DNA sequence: ACCCAGGAATTGT
DNA sequence: ACAATTCATGGG
């Protein structure tokens, strides 16, 4: 067993609640992880239900209905910036039934992705994250800047046609598809190992 | 003041 | 059709 495998043996993937997952990653576009956590904390405090556990105060994650009822301005107050519009659109899709996350859990990767991409604010990367972390599509291979760097560094044979850190939608589909084919049904696990490896090499602060 | 961050929509060519 | 540009927000 290599040092790398021993060091990381024990990594697991979430099977997160799909609604919580899609709202969370909708907040994640073009920002950093500490900021995402702040947004979600603010959303819970503002739209979630207050509960007391062991004398401590918590707020549950807001329902799609509650977010749908809120104005875009109220959502923006939580620090979402331009993402507020997308969060509201996701809530709308869930409430009016256009997006049936539970049904997508049983769908094929391609079909689930196609449905997710119809929603305003959901692109390739976020759709892949939602599928990997909550819809049991373990072959999904999300590519963010860190993964793109990792692929450029460790899988140069794929970057013959110069992939930068920013991928066009066309490049994203090509690269993610290639990695899905390369790693197979559990490509998402490989993605996670790469992600955490890159994050640990950089200085982590979250 | 500039660049970056678990991107995606919009506009320009 | 593809490639630039824009979009809020805080930290380095």
């Amino acid at each position: 067993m290599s040092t790398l495998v021993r060091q990381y043996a024990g990594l697991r993937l979430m099977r997160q609640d799909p609604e919580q997952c899609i709202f969370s990653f909708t907040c994640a576009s073009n920002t950093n992880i500490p900021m995402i956590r702040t947004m979600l904390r603010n959303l819970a405090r503002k739209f979630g239900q207050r509960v007391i556990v062991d004398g401590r105060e918590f707020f549950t994650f807001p329902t799609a209905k509650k977010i749908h009822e809120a104005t875009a301005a109220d959502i923006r107050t939580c620090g979402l910036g331009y993402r507020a519009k997308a969060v509201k659109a996701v809530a709308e899709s869930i409430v009016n039934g256009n997006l049936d996350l539970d049904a997508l859990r049983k769908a094929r990767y391609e079909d689930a992705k196609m449905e997710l991409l119809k929603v305003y604010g959901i692109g390739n990367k976020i759709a892949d994250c939602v599928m990997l972390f909550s819809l049991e599509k373990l072959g999904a291979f999300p590519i963010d800047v860190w993964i793109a760097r990792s692929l450029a560094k460790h899988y140069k044979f794929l970057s013959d046609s110069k992939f930068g850190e920013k991928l066009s939608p066309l490049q994203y589909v090509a690269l993610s598809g290639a990695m899905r084919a390369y790693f197979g049904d559990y490509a998402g696990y490989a993605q996670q190992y790469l992600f955490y490896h890159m994050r640990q090499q950089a200085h982590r602060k979250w």
Side-chain angles (χ1 to χ4, degrees):
Chain A
M1 180 182 280
S2 74
T3 302
L4 181 86
V5 170
R6 175 174 295 128
Q7 182 175 3
Y8 288 115
L11 180 151
R12 298 292 185 276
L13 273 168
M14 306 266 312
R15 188 186 285 110
Q16 198 178 12
D17 173 74
E19 278 196 17
Q20 183 166 347
C21 190
I22 196 172
F23 281 121
S24 299
F25 276 101
T26 301
C27 293
S29 78
N30 196 32
T31 185
N32 52 57
I33 291 172
M35 189 56 54
I36 296 166
R37 296 183 62 187
T38 298
M39 294 179 202
L40 296 177
R41 219 167 26 241
N42 292 342
L43 282 173
R45 196 175 60 215
K46 198 168 180 64
F47 303 112
Q49 183 182 353
R50 181 175 171 275
V51 296
I52 304 294
V53 178
D54 287 342
R56 292 187 53 187
E57 178 184 67
F58 295 93
F59 291 89
T60 62
F61 198 88
T63 62
K65 181 170 178 291
K66 206 86 162 97
I67 294 178
H68 179 58
E69 290 167 356
T71 68
D74 274 346
I75 298 173
R76 185 179 280 254
T77 302
C78 299
L80 297 198
Y82 67 95
R83 303 169 193 83
K85 186 177 170 187
V87 165
K88 194 165 168 53
V90 169
E92 162 92 34
S93 300
I94 292 174
V95 168
N96 70 20
N98 283 348
L99 182 63
D100 186 347
L101 290 170
D102 195 55
L104 296 188
R105 207 160 41 81
K106 304 170 205 127
R108 307 164 34 88
Y109 170 92
E110 290 80 4
D111 296 329
K113 183 152 191 180
M114 197 173 57
E115 290 304 310
L116 287 168
L117 291 179
K118 290 178 182 172
V119 182
Y120 179 91
I122 307 297
N124 276 306
K125 192 267 174 182
I126 290 177
D128 279 334
C129 285
V130 172
M131 289 195 290
L132 178 59
F133 296 125
S134 73
L135 298 181
E136 305 179 17
K137 305 297 180 284
L138 302 185
F141 195 94
I143 302 179
D144 55 42
V145 287
W146 294 95
I147 296 296
R149 285 172 195 157
S150 174
L151 296 182
K153 181 174 183 181
H154 301 293
Y155 298 85
K156 269 180 112 173
F157 62 94
L158 282 176
S159 53
D160 288 337
S161 52
K162 64 184 318 183
F163 289 105
E165 289 187 1
K166 293 302 193 177
L167 302 179
S168 72
L170 214 59
Q171 289 175 319
Y172 183 100
V173 171
L175 240 193
S176 180
M179 300 314 290
R180 277 165 46 71
Y182 180 67
F183 285 117
D185 292 341
Y186 298 97
Y189 275 96
Q191 191 269 6
Q192 285 297 284
Y193 278 106
L194 291 176
F195 181 79
Y196 287 107
H197 177 66
M198 294 301 286
R199 290 299 302 223
Q200 196 171 62
Q201 286 213 327
H203 294 295
R204 49 191 281 182
K205 44 196 164 186
W206 49 298

